[in-house]
Amino acid sequence: MTLTDRRNRPLQGLRISVTDRCNFRCNYCMPEDVFGTDYRFLARDELLTFEEITRLASLLVERGVRRIRITGGEPLVRRNLDRLVGMLAALPGLQDLSLTTNGSLLPGQAAALAAAGLRRVTVSLDSLDEGVFRSMNGGGAGVADVLRGIEAAVSAGLLPVKVNAVVRRDVNDHTVVDLVRHFRGTGTIVRFIEYMDVGNSNGWSLEEVVPAAEILARISAVFPLEPLEPDHTGEVARRWRLCDGSAEIGVITSVSNPFCASCSRLRLSPEGSLYTCLFAGKGFDLRGLLRQGADDAALGQALDSVWRDRDDQYSRIRSAATTRLPRVEMSHIGG
Ligand code: SAM
Ligand code: SF4
Ligand code: SF4
């Protein structure tokens, strides 16, 4: 079954955020002054159970979803996550199951996650410079902690490992080439993400965005690059290869060259709201339906109508006015 939205975009991907909590405080995502000790995180009974998540995922796979990514907050702080991975991996028709993590807890969990059926991981690492990295993540961890997580993922066969780096002007843009140099020849793919105006708490400004063209120029001045074809339809990263064949890299141009026209993802929040766009102010409450005892037909009907009614294209029409609208936080919906 192919479900299309009002802009004729098919439903293909699902991101499941399993928690709004995180052991880091990246200042562009969960700034400490907002997400401090008195911040009210979701209570345990507000979170969807693994059974509830899997039931929704199964209905969405029946509706065309082929790729699922688990995210958060930090997904590895949710207890027994490998159990959820096993449940999702067993869904017939699912082609890819991956996870985005800050990497700090991977050493203890990578093997169990791989054994449960996880295919790949993306690990966030914004810089190899210790001072720069710690200042960006709120002091949560050092570079070595994340590198150990990446090694654990490689050893567990969660390949290819991708590394995500958010680039902010005058913060870490001078360190992008180091990341390419470090991971060259290892099979790990580094992807540079333009800093986005997600949520309302990070004080985003356009001046801090380093356009992908500038990131690529910095890299190609040291390592000449050639473009690669997209991996699959709906792929958000533009892929490049070092001309010497030693590495693939990617850039995610959400600000300078938005990809709304081919955006094919739904996002499920930890408390069971379905979001049709990363920049949406509000989601569709599925937990209410689930806990009122809705049958699969009623749930399916709700899912169909959410996607059919979808008209989002926030990044394409981004303006000074839209960046002031209330939006879900990145740490809630998971990127
Ligand atoms: N905690 C996990 C992690 O950091 O990988 C998963 C959730 S995190 C919200 C997912 C991704 O979103 C990370 O790669 C993070 O760097 C990125 N991110 C967070 N805030 C962002 C922003 N304002 N602009 C661009 N990317 C952002
Ligand atoms: Fe946590 Fe990931 Fe957000 Fe950093 S980017 S605060 S690791 S959820
Ligand atoms: Fe998709 Fe919304 Fe991002 Fe556009 S702004 S690519 S519709 S999530």
Side-chain angles (χ1 to χ4, degrees), residues 227-253:
L228 286 172
E229 289 301 307
D231 236 356
H232 55 77
T233 47
E235 159 113 303
V236 296
R238 313 242 159 159
R239 302 165 65 219
W240 295 78
R241 184 170 63 183
L242 271 57
C243 293
D244 65 6
S246 62
E248 175 185 331
I249 63 156
V251 282
I252 302 183
T253 62

Side-chain angles (χ1 to χ4, degrees), residues 22-32 102 124-143 164-176 179 192-195 202 208 210:
C22 184
N23 55 341
F24 285 17
R25 285 292 176 274
C26 303
N27 49 17
Y28 53 81
C29 177
M30 296 181 83
E32 209 135 19
N102 63 33
S124 301
L125 175 59
D126 297 326
S127 180
L128 289 166
D129 180 295
E130 189 70 15
V132 171
F133 182 54
R134 280 189 186 270
S135 76
M136 288 180 84
N137 72 31
V143 172
N164 271 3
V166 176
V167 183
R168 295 177 74 181
R169 188 174 301 284
D170 298 335
V171 177
N172 65 334
D173 54 340
H174 60 294
T175 70
V176 298
L179 278 165
F192 298 97
I193 309 178
E194 290 176 351
Y195 180 36
N202 62 10
E208 275 191 89
V210 183

